[in-house]
Amino acid sequence: MSELNALSDVDLSMMHHVLEMAETLAEEGVHPFAALLVDGAGNKLMEQGNAYLPDQDMTGHAERVLMTRASKAWRPDFLASCTMYVSAEPCAMCAGAAYWAGLGRLVYGLSEHRLKGITGNHPENPTLDLPCRLVFESGQRDVEVIGPVLEDEAAEVHETFWQTHGK
């Protein structure tokens, strides 16, 4: 896969970490979406799991919550040097949050298109089949996007979780 060629050892390590986070969330009965923010030097700054529970917040996506937290902590000029690693491609809402926060780079595992095939029209996850690249390309500044990467590995946790939690 050509996307893997664009990844550094740090990228692969961070992607494995975020996929492990997603697996842990699934084991806890939480939607298995995980996000990790890393600075330009490869230091982990923040991580976030899906926040749908306990209040059934349909906007509690890991990426959106992480970007809200990051935007409160740092200015866009700093976030432009950061990478967000996510277990699944950000939806339009989450891509918008990353754009508005000022994120410079995104690396994701499972594509929205493949996720939609896994979840179907699940009432807790009516997945949009809209590539985050289209959201970012509509903006006025660049956000580098790499993905899908390690997609089969990223898909496994969702295949098990959504099958167990019904459609």
Side-chain angles (χ1 to χ4, degrees):
M1 175 181 278
S2 62
E3 294 283 359
L4 282 178
N5 295 335
L7 296 178
S8 69
D9 290 341
V10 170
D11 289 329
L12 285 172
S13 174
M14 297 302 173
M15 278 303 299
H16 285 292
H17 178 76
V18 85
L19 294 178
E20 288 169 10
M21 288 172 58
E23 184 67 40
T24 299
L25 290 164
E27 290 167 3
E28 295 170 355
V30 176
H31 297 174
F33 298 96
L36 171 66
L37 183 66
V38 175
D39 69 15
N43 299 305
K44 295 177 186 174
L45 300 175
M46 291 182 170
E47 55 184 49
Q48 180 68 51
N50 187 276
Y52 170 73
L53 296 174
D55 301 321
Q56 298 184 351
D57 178 1
M58 294 298 287
T59 68
H61 297 190
E63 307 95 308
R64 199 274 308 151
V65 174
L66 182 69
M67 287 292 92
T68 296
R69 291 175 53 213
S71 183
K72 291 176 181 180
W74 297 286
R75 302 310 325 139
D77 59 337
F78 174 76
L79 291 172
S81 68
C82 294
T83 300
M84 181 169 58
Y85 297 90
V86 293
S87 56
E89 182 175 7
C91 71
M93 173 184 67
C94 294
Y99 174 81
W100 283 106
L103 185 73
R105 186 168 179 261
L106 171 77
V107 180
Y108 71 86
L110 180 62
S111 70
E112 274 281 279
H113 181 75
R114 187 161 171 189
L115 177 64
K116 184 178 179 183
I118 293 169
T119 64
N121 191 23
H122 193 287
E124 294 177 11
N125 194 40
T127 304
L128 294 167
D129 188 359
L130 178 68
C132 67
R133 283 177 175 89
L134 290 178
V135 175
F136 293 132
E137 289 168 4
S138 298
Q140 298 181 62
R141 58 174 190 75
D142 292 333
V143 178
E144 179 184 1
V145 178
I146 300 174
V149 297
L150 306 174
E151 188 170 28
D152 289 341
E153 187 176 336
E156 277 182 40
V157 67
H158 286 279
E159 289 165 350
T160 302
F161 183 87
W162 297 106
Q163 188 173 52
T164 303
H165 290 80
K167 285 189 180 180

Short mmCIF file of all heavy atoms in Angstrom, two decimals, residues 30-72:
data_model
loop_
_atom_site.label_atom_id
_atom_site.label_comp_id
_atom_site.label_asym_id
_atom_site.label_seq_id
_atom_site.Cartn_x
_atom_site.Cartn_y
_atom_site.Cartn_z
N VAL A 30 -17.58 0.46 24.77
CA VAL A 30 -17.63 1.81 24.23
C VAL A 30 -17.36 1.75 22.73
O VAL A 30 -16.55 0.94 22.27
CB VAL A 30 -16.56 2.70 24.93
CG1 VAL A 30 -16.52 4.10 24.33
CG2 VAL A 30 -16.82 2.76 26.43
N HIS A 31 -18.03 2.60 21.96
CA HIS A 31 -17.76 2.65 20.51
C HIS A 31 -16.25 2.73 20.29
O HIS A 31 -15.60 3.62 20.86
CB HIS A 31 -18.44 3.86 19.88
CG HIS A 31 -19.93 3.85 19.97
ND1 HIS A 31 -20.69 4.92 19.55
CD2 HIS A 31 -20.82 2.91 20.40
CE1 HIS A 31 -21.98 4.64 19.73
NE2 HIS A 31 -22.07 3.44 20.25
N PRO A 32 -15.70 1.86 19.47
CA PRO A 32 -14.24 1.74 19.35
C PRO A 32 -13.57 2.76 18.42
O PRO A 32 -12.92 2.41 17.44
CB PRO A 32 -14.05 0.31 18.84
CG PRO A 32 -15.28 0.04 18.06
CD PRO A 32 -16.38 0.79 18.74
N PHE A 33 -13.74 4.03 18.75
CA PHE A 33 -13.09 5.10 18.00
C PHE A 33 -12.12 5.78 18.95
O PHE A 33 -12.51 6.19 20.05
CB PHE A 33 -14.12 6.11 17.49
CG PHE A 33 -15.12 5.54 16.54
CD1 PHE A 33 -16.35 5.10 16.98
CD2 PHE A 33 -14.80 5.41 15.19
CE1 PHE A 33 -17.28 4.56 16.10
CE2 PHE A 33 -15.73 4.87 14.29
CZ PHE A 33 -16.96 4.45 14.75
N ALA A 34 -10.87 5.93 18.52
CA ALA A 34 -9.84 6.52 19.37
C ALA A 34 -9.04 7.54 18.58
O ALA A 34 -8.86 7.40 17.36
CB ALA A 34 -8.92 5.42 19.90
N ALA A 35 -8.57 8.57 19.28
CA ALA A 35 -7.78 9.64 18.66
C ALA A 35 -6.61 10.00 19.57
O ALA A 35 -6.74 9.98 20.80
CB ALA A 35 -8.66 10.85 18.42
N LEU A 36 -5.51 10.35 18.94
CA LEU A 36 -4.28 10.69 19.65
C LEU A 36 -3.65 11.90 18.97
O LEU A 36 -3.52 11.92 17.74
CB LEU A 36 -3.33 9.50 19.58
CG LEU A 36 -1.89 9.67 20.06
CD1 LEU A 36 -1.84 9.92 21.55
CD2 LEU A 36 -1.08 8.42 19.71
N LEU A 37 -3.28 12.91 19.75
CA LEU A 37 -2.63 14.10 19.23
C LEU A 37 -1.16 14.06 19.60
O LEU A 37 -0.82 13.85 20.77
CB LEU A 37 -3.28 15.37 19.79
CG LEU A 37 -2.74 16.69 19.25
CD1 LEU A 37 -3.06 16.84 17.76
CD2 LEU A 37 -3.31 17.86 20.05
N VAL A 38 -0.30 14.27 18.59
CA VAL A 38 1.15 14.20 18.77
C VAL A 38 1.77 15.46 18.19
O VAL A 38 1.37 15.92 17.12
CB VAL A 38 1.69 12.93 18.05
CG1 VAL A 38 3.21 12.87 18.10
CG2 VAL A 38 1.08 11.68 18.66
N ASP A 39 2.75 16.02 18.91
CA ASP A 39 3.40 17.23 18.41
C ASP A 39 4.44 16.89 17.34
O ASP A 39 4.68 15.71 17.06
CB ASP A 39 3.99 18.07 19.54
CG ASP A 39 5.19 17.45 20.23
OD1 ASP A 39 5.81 16.49 19.71
OD2 ASP A 39 5.54 17.95 21.32
N GLY A 40 5.05 17.90 16.77
CA GLY A 40 6.01 17.72 15.69
C GLY A 40 7.25 16.93 16.07
O GLY A 40 7.93 16.39 15.21
N ALA A 41 7.54 16.85 17.38
CA ALA A 41 8.70 16.10 17.86
C ALA A 41 8.34 14.65 18.21
O ALA A 41 9.20 13.89 18.66
CB ALA A 41 9.30 16.80 19.08
N GLY A 42 7.08 14.27 18.02
CA GLY A 42 6.65 12.90 18.30
C GLY A 42 6.20 12.66 19.73
O GLY A 42 6.06 11.52 20.15
N ASN A 43 5.94 13.73 20.48
CA ASN A 43 5.47 13.60 21.86
C ASN A 43 3.95 13.51 21.89
O ASN A 43 3.27 14.32 21.26
CB ASN A 43 5.91 14.83 22.68
CG ASN A 43 7.41 14.97 22.73
OD1 ASN A 43 8.11 14.06 23.12
ND2 ASN A 43 7.89 16.12 22.29
N LYS A 44 3.44 12.54 22.64
CA LYS A 44 2.00 12.40 22.82
C LYS A 44 1.51 13.55 23.69
O LYS A 44 2.01 13.76 24.79
CB LYS A 44 1.66 11.07 23.48
CG LYS A 44 1.99 9.87 22.63
CD LYS A 44 1.70 8.58 23.38
CE LYS A 44 2.17 7.37 22.59
NZ LYS A 44 2.03 6.13 23.38
N LEU A 45 0.53 14.29 23.18
CA LEU A 45 -0.02 15.44 23.90
C LEU A 45 -1.35 15.13 24.58
O LEU A 45 -1.58 15.51 25.72
CB LEU A 45 -0.21 16.62 22.94
CG LEU A 45 1.04 17.14 22.24
CD1 LEU A 45 0.67 18.22 21.24
CD2 LEU A 45 2.05 17.65 23.25
N MET A 46 -2.24 14.47 23.85
CA MET A 46 -3.58 14.16 24.36
C MET A 46 -4.09 12.91 23.65
O MET A 46 -3.75 12.68 22.50
CB MET A 46 -4.58 15.27 24.02
CG MET A 46 -4.42 16.57 24.70
SD MET A 46 -5.76 17.70 24.16
CE MET A 46 -5.52 19.01 25.33
N GLU A 47 -4.93 12.18 24.35
CA GLU A 47 -5.65 11.09 23.69
C GLU A 47 -7.09 11.13 24.12
O GLU A 47 -7.43 11.69 25.16
CB GLU A 47 -5.00 9.73 23.95
CG GLU A 47 -4.80 9.33 25.37
CD GLU A 47 -4.05 8.01 25.49
OE1 GLU A 47 -3.00 7.83 24.86
OE2 GLU A 47 -4.53 7.15 26.26
N GLN A 48 -7.94 10.55 23.28
CA GLN A 48 -9.37 10.63 23.53
C GLN A 48 -10.08 9.42 22.94
O GLN A 48 -9.84 9.06 21.80
CB GLN A 48 -9.95 11.91 22.89
CG GLN A 48 -11.42 12.12 23.07
CD GLN A 48 -11.79 12.41 24.51
OE1 GLN A 48 -11.19 13.27 25.14
NE2 GLN A 48 -12.76 11.67 25.04
N GLY A 49 -10.94 8.81 23.73
CA GLY A 49 -11.81 7.77 23.23
C GLY A 49 -13.17 8.35 22.90
O GLY A 49 -13.46 9.52 23.19
N ASN A 50 -14.01 7.56 22.28
CA ASN A 50 -15.35 8.00 21.93
C ASN A 50 -16.10 8.41 23.19
O ASN A 50 -16.00 7.75 24.22
CB ASN A 50 -16.09 6.87 21.20
CG ASN A 50 -17.41 7.32 20.67
OD1 ASN A 50 -18.39 7.33 21.39
ND2 ASN A 50 -17.44 7.72 19.41
N ALA A 51 -16.85 9.49 23.11
CA ALA A 51 -17.55 10.03 24.28
C ALA A 51 -19.08 9.97 24.10
O ALA A 51 -19.81 10.79 24.67
CB ALA A 51 -17.10 11.48 24.53
N TYR A 52 -19.55 9.00 23.35
CA TYR A 52 -21.00 8.81 23.19
C TYR A 52 -21.64 8.51 24.55
O TYR A 52 -22.70 9.04 24.88
CB TYR A 52 -21.25 7.67 22.19
CG TYR A 52 -22.68 7.21 22.12
CD1 TYR A 52 -23.65 7.99 21.50
CD2 TYR A 52 -23.07 5.98 22.65
CE1 TYR A 52 -24.98 7.57 21.42
CE2 TYR A 52 -24.38 5.55 22.57
CZ TYR A 52 -25.33 6.34 21.97
OH TYR A 52 -26.64 5.93 21.89
N LEU A 53 -21.00 7.67 25.32
CA LEU A 53 -21.50 7.31 26.65
C LEU A 53 -20.86 8.21 27.69
O LEU A 53 -19.74 8.67 27.49
CB LEU A 53 -21.18 5.85 26.96
CG LEU A 53 -21.86 4.82 26.05
CD1 LEU A 53 -21.33 3.43 26.36
CD2 LEU A 53 -23.37 4.87 26.18
N PRO A 54 -21.47 8.51 28.79
CA PRO A 54 -22.71 7.92 29.30
C PRO A 54 -23.97 8.65 28.86
O PRO A 54 -25.08 8.16 29.08
CB PRO A 54 -22.54 8.04 30.81
CG PRO A 54 -21.79 9.32 30.99
CD PRO A 54 -20.86 9.38 29.80
N ASP A 55 -23.84 9.83 28.23
CA ASP A 55 -24.99 10.67 27.95
C ASP A 55 -25.62 10.46 26.58
O ASP A 55 -26.52 11.21 26.20
CB ASP A 55 -24.59 12.15 28.08
CG ASP A 55 -24.07 12.48 29.46
OD1 ASP A 55 -24.64 11.96 30.45
OD2 ASP A 55 -23.09 13.24 29.56
N GLN A 56 -25.12 9.48 25.82
CA GLN A 56 -25.58 9.23 24.45
C GLN A 56 -25.43 10.46 23.58
O GLN A 56 -26.32 10.83 22.81
CB GLN A 56 -27.00 8.67 24.44
CG GLN A 56 -27.11 7.34 25.15
CD GLN A 56 -28.48 6.72 25.07
OE1 GLN A 56 -29.45 7.31 24.63
NE2 GLN A 56 -28.55 5.46 25.49
N ASP A 57 -24.27 11.12 23.69
CA ASP A 57 -23.96 12.31 22.91
C ASP A 57 -23.55 11.89 21.50
O ASP A 57 -22.45 11.39 21.29
CB ASP A 57 -22.83 13.09 23.59
CG ASP A 57 -22.41 14.34 22.82
OD1 ASP A 57 -23.01 14.64 21.76
OD2 ASP A 57 -21.48 15.01 23.29
N MET A 58 -24.43 12.11 20.55
CA MET A 58 -24.16 11.71 19.16
C MET A 58 -23.00 12.51 18.56
O MET A 58 -22.46 12.13 17.53
CB MET A 58 -25.42 11.86 18.31
CG MET A 58 -26.54 10.91 18.69
SD MET A 58 -26.13 9.15 18.50
CE MET A 58 -26.15 9.00 16.71
N THR A 59 -22.62 13.64 19.18
CA THR A 59 -21.49 14.43 18.69
C THR A 59 -20.22 14.13 19.47
O THR A 59 -19.19 14.78 19.27
CB THR A 59 -21.77 15.94 18.76
OG1 THR A 59 -21.86 16.35 20.12
CG2 THR A 59 -23.04 16.30 18.00
N GLY A 60 -20.24 13.14 20.34
CA GLY A 60 -19.11 12.82 21.19
C GLY A 60 -18.05 11.97 20.51
O GLY A 60 -17.45 11.11 21.15
N HIS A 61 -17.81 12.23 19.25
CA HIS A 61 -16.79 11.47 18.51
C HIS A 61 -15.41 11.79 19.07
O HIS A 61 -15.12 12.94 19.43
CB HIS A 61 -16.83 11.82 17.02
CG HIS A 61 -18.11 11.46 16.35
ND1 HIS A 61 -18.26 11.52 14.99
CD2 HIS A 61 -19.30 11.04 16.85
CE1 HIS A 61 -19.50 11.15 14.67
NE2 HIS A 61 -20.14 10.87 15.78
N ALA A 62 -14.57 10.79 19.13
CA ALA A 62 -13.23 10.95 19.72
C ALA A 62 -12.47 12.11 19.08
O ALA A 62 -11.85 12.92 19.79
CB ALA A 62 -12.44 9.65 19.59
N GLU A 63 -12.51 12.20 17.77
CA GLU A 63 -11.75 13.24 17.07
C GLU A 63 -12.28 14.63 17.38
O GLU A 63 -11.52 15.58 17.59
CB GLU A 63 -11.80 13.03 15.55
CG GLU A 63 -11.40 11.65 15.09
CD GLU A 63 -12.59 10.72 14.92
OE1 GLU A 63 -13.43 10.60 15.85
OE2 GLU A 63 -12.71 10.12 13.84
N ARG A 64 -13.60 14.78 17.39
CA ARG A 64 -14.21 16.09 17.67
C ARG A 64 -13.89 16.53 19.09
O ARG A 64 -13.49 17.66 19.34
CB ARG A 64 -15.73 16.03 17.45
CG ARG A 64 -16.39 17.39 17.26
CD ARG A 64 -16.80 18.12 18.52
NE ARG A 64 -17.60 17.33 19.43
CZ ARG A 64 -17.59 17.54 20.74
NH1 ARG A 64 -16.87 18.46 21.30
NH2 ARG A 64 -18.34 16.79 21.53
N VAL A 65 -14.03 15.62 20.05
CA VAL A 65 -13.75 15.96 21.45
C VAL A 65 -12.27 16.30 21.62
O VAL A 65 -11.93 17.29 22.28
CB VAL A 65 -14.19 14.82 22.39
CG1 VAL A 65 -13.78 15.11 23.83
CG2 VAL A 65 -15.70 14.59 22.31
N LEU A 66 -11.40 15.52 20.99
CA LEU A 66 -9.96 15.80 21.09
C LEU A 66 -9.62 17.16 20.49
O LEU A 66 -8.86 17.94 21.08
CB LEU A 66 -9.15 14.70 20.39
CG LEU A 66 -7.63 14.88 20.46
CD1 LEU A 66 -7.13 14.67 21.88
CD2 LEU A 66 -6.94 13.93 19.51
N MET A 67 -10.19 17.48 19.35
CA MET A 67 -9.91 18.76 18.72
C MET A 67 -10.47 19.93 19.54
O MET A 67 -9.85 21.00 19.61
CB MET A 67 -10.44 18.81 17.28
CG MET A 67 -9.63 17.96 16.32
SD MET A 67 -7.95 18.61 16.02
CE MET A 67 -6.98 17.74 17.25
N THR A 68 -11.61 19.75 20.19
CA THR A 68 -12.14 20.79 21.07
C THR A 68 -11.17 21.01 22.24
O THR A 68 -10.83 22.15 22.56
CB THR A 68 -13.53 20.41 21.59
OG1 THR A 68 -14.43 20.34 20.48
CG2 THR A 68 -14.06 21.43 22.60
N ARG A 69 -10.71 19.94 22.84
CA ARG A 69 -9.75 20.06 23.95
C ARG A 69 -8.45 20.71 23.48
O ARG A 69 -7.91 21.59 24.17
CB ARG A 69 -9.46 18.66 24.52
CG ARG A 69 -10.63 18.04 25.26
CD ARG A 69 -10.34 16.61 25.71
NE ARG A 69 -9.10 16.53 26.47
CZ ARG A 69 -8.28 15.48 26.44
NH1 ARG A 69 -8.55 14.42 25.69
NH2 ARG A 69 -7.19 15.47 27.16
N ALA A 70 -7.96 20.28 22.32
CA ALA A 70 -6.69 20.81 21.80
C ALA A 70 -6.82 22.29 21.46
O ALA A 70 -5.90 23.08 21.72
CB ALA A 70 -6.25 20.01 20.57
N SER A 71 -7.96 22.69 20.90
CA SER A 71 -8.18 24.07 20.53
C SER A 71 -8.21 24.98 21.75
O SER A 71 -7.83 26.16 21.68
CB SER A 71 -9.49 24.20 19.74
OG SER A 71 -9.69 25.52 19.32
N LYS A 72 -8.65 24.46 22.87
CA LYS A 72 -8.66 25.23 24.11
C LYS A 72 -7.26 25.34 24.71
O LYS A 72 -6.97 26.29 25.44
CB LYS A 72 -9.61 24.58 25.13
CG LYS A 72 -11.07 24.70 24.74
CD LYS A 72 -11.94 23.96 25.74
CE LYS A 72 -13.41 24.04 25.37
NZ LYS A 72 -14.25 23.32 26.34
#
